[in-house]
Amino acid sequence: MTEAQTSAGLANEPLSSLLRRRPVFVPRDASVAQAVDTMCRLNIGSVLVGTEQNCSGIFSERDLLFGIGETYDAVRDRPVDEFMTRNPRMLDADTSLLKALHEMASGGFRHLPVHRGGRPVGVVSLRDFLGIVNKWYPDLIG
Amino acid sequence: MDLRDYLIQTSVAQIEYGRSATVDQDASVRHAIGLMRQWKVGCLLATRRGLLRGILTERDLIRKVFGPGRSLDAPVHEVMTKNPVVAGPNEPLYSVLSRMYSGGFRHLPVIGESGEALGTVSLPRIADLIADAFAGVLVSKPLPSYGRGELETEP
């Protein structure tokens, strides 16, 4: 694939093409331990907090490590909404891959919630972008 | 240069793969977490006498420590990923991405010829470079080149 093609692919392909599963929610009053258990069980790096109609934040591996870290045992039964990232940056499902990649790189995000009409429809991670590079260059990345 | 050529022609040594950090494999998980928070890094290279023994990542912590409720006093070597897949400084980026893709890794330790830990190359870092490369295309700038970062070690 040439640079022009790759650039066009990144600029034209929508973020929704990376979505592989419905977003996983935990209720706002779920404990930190319940959120961690959900992430472990489903092998995912983040969960959304709230409901599809009213999503108030995202709780990720980063929030766990940097926001809680060694104090985990002391706060494991506290509500996860005390430690989540509130009002996270969310991108429309029709946003181009190029814009999304820039958002993730400039904002330092590992996980980015994706919405359609204001409702979360999934979360994309940098690993999902790696899948796109693999799709373009299967002879190189495979 | 297109993205394909960039991934083929750029070696690990040519990008800034710093912000890496090491911890002794016999240190406690509590100590390791403190270092990760202090240095704002998502993984540590676990070493013994300077040689790489394993890698401790956010994912190891959530799956082997926080999830199952393991004591933070456990030594790092009990929860780290042993014998991690590694990268060499002269390896091209496509080869690193390929290994990250097939293994589902976000970080690969970079090691020298005698097994010494040099740093960590991360998927977020490479994603930054690709995003920069395309920003460069849009405003007709050359692709970025970076010097090597410094390895942080415990004092």
Side-chain angles (χ1 to χ4, degrees), chain A residues 1-4 6-8 10 35-37 39-40 43-46 59-73 76 98 101-102 104-106 108-111 125-142, chain B residues 1-4 7-8 29-31 33-43 58-59 61-72 93-95 97-102 104-107 122-125 127-128 130-135 137-138:
Chain A
M1 190 178 269
T2 66
E3 178 157 356
T6 309
S7 190
L10 275 174
V36 167
D37 181 60
M39 290 156 75
C40 279
N43 193 23
I44 50 178
S46 65
F59 182 73
S60 70
E61 291 169 337
R62 297 246 115 179
D63 298 314
L64 176 60
L65 176 61
F66 294 139
I68 295 176
E70 312 94 307
T71 66
Y72 181 76
D73 287 342
R76 52 174 290 138
L98 183 61
L101 186 59
H102 277 294
M104 294 185 89
S106 64
F109 307 125
R110 269 55 168 176
H111 302 91
S125 71
L126 283 177
R127 282 206 187 95
D128 298 323
F129 277 94
L130 196 46
I132 285 284
V133 179
N134 168 62
K135 196 170 102 183
W136 287 336
Y137 308 124
D139 57 323
L140 282 188
I141 320 283
Chain B
M1 193 191 293
D2 70 12
L3 179 61
R4 181 193 175 86
L7 295 178
I8 292 173
V29 169
R30 185 187 311 280
H31 180 67
I33 292 173
L35 293 177
M36 290 164 98
R37 295 179 81 191
Q38 181 188 337
W39 292 335
K40 295 269 183 288
V41 293
C43 85
E58 288 163 304
R59 194 137 290 198
L61 290 175
I62 190 168
R63 291 174 70 175
K64 301 178 199 167
V65 180
F66 297 126
R70 188 191 293 254
S71 166
L72 298 185
L93 292 187
Y94 83 84
S95 165
L97 284 181
S98 178
R99 226 165 299 141
M100 287 177 167
Y101 180 73
S102 57
F105 308 124
R106 265 183 306 198
H107 303 90
S122 74
L123 181 56
R125 180 76 196 107
D128 277 353
I130 294 176
D132 280 357
F134 279 96
V137 168
L138 295 176

